[in-house]
């Protein structure tokens, strides 16, 4: 329930237009970094899940994801206008 609520908040906040349909492409690094606490964690977890899904993977290593999260955050802090998906793609290489 907490994750569902957090995801709902993620999708109703930020740069996306106020409609029922949200698009991950509408979120910049700045949008994600403005979230606080659990909301940012859920947003980043959603981005990780998106890329795992694109790769057809269900298995993951938490240490690897933690390293990617650090790279994502550092890149976003230096490049706030970059799309969050593009920043996570870069961090996932």
């Amino acid at each position: 329930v907490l994750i569902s609520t957090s995801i709902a908040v993620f999708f109703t906040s930020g740069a996306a237009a106020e409609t029922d349909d949200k698009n991950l492409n509408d979120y910049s690094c700045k949008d994600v970094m403005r979230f606080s606490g659990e909301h940012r964690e859920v947003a980043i977890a959603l981005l990780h899940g998106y890329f795992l899904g694109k790769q057809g993977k269900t298995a993951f290593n938490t240490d690897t994801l933690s390293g990617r999260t650090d790279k994502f955050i550092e890149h976003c802090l230096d490049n706030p206008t970059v799309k969050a998906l593009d920043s996570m793609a870069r961090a996932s290489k």
Side-chain angles (χ1 to χ4, degrees), residues 18-52:
E18 293 300 318
T19 66
D20 290 339
D21 295 331
K22 304 299 178 196
N23 188 320
L24 289 175
N25 278 314
D26 293 338
Y27 292 88
S28 68
C29 279
K30 186 176 183 177
D31 295 325
V32 174
M33 298 311 295
R34 281 184 169 169
F35 294 131
S36 62
E38 291 177 353
H39 298 294
R40 183 181 309 141
E41 291 172 11
V42 169
I44 292 171
L46 178 64
L47 292 168
H48 283 306
Y50 173 81
F51 282 98
L52 287 170

Side-chain angles (χ1 to χ4, degrees), residues 43-78:
I44 292 171
L46 178 64
L47 292 168
H48 283 306
Y50 173 81
F51 282 98
L52 287 170
K54 278 187 69 162
Q55 297 169 354
K57 294 182 179 180
T58 57
F60 59 92
N61 179 290
T62 55
D63 291 333
T64 299
L65 293 184
S66 178
R68 289 177 184 170
T69 296
D70 292 343
K71 289 179 186 178
F72 171 80
I73 290 171
E74 288 301 319
H75 187 256
C76 280
L77 290 173
D78 292 339

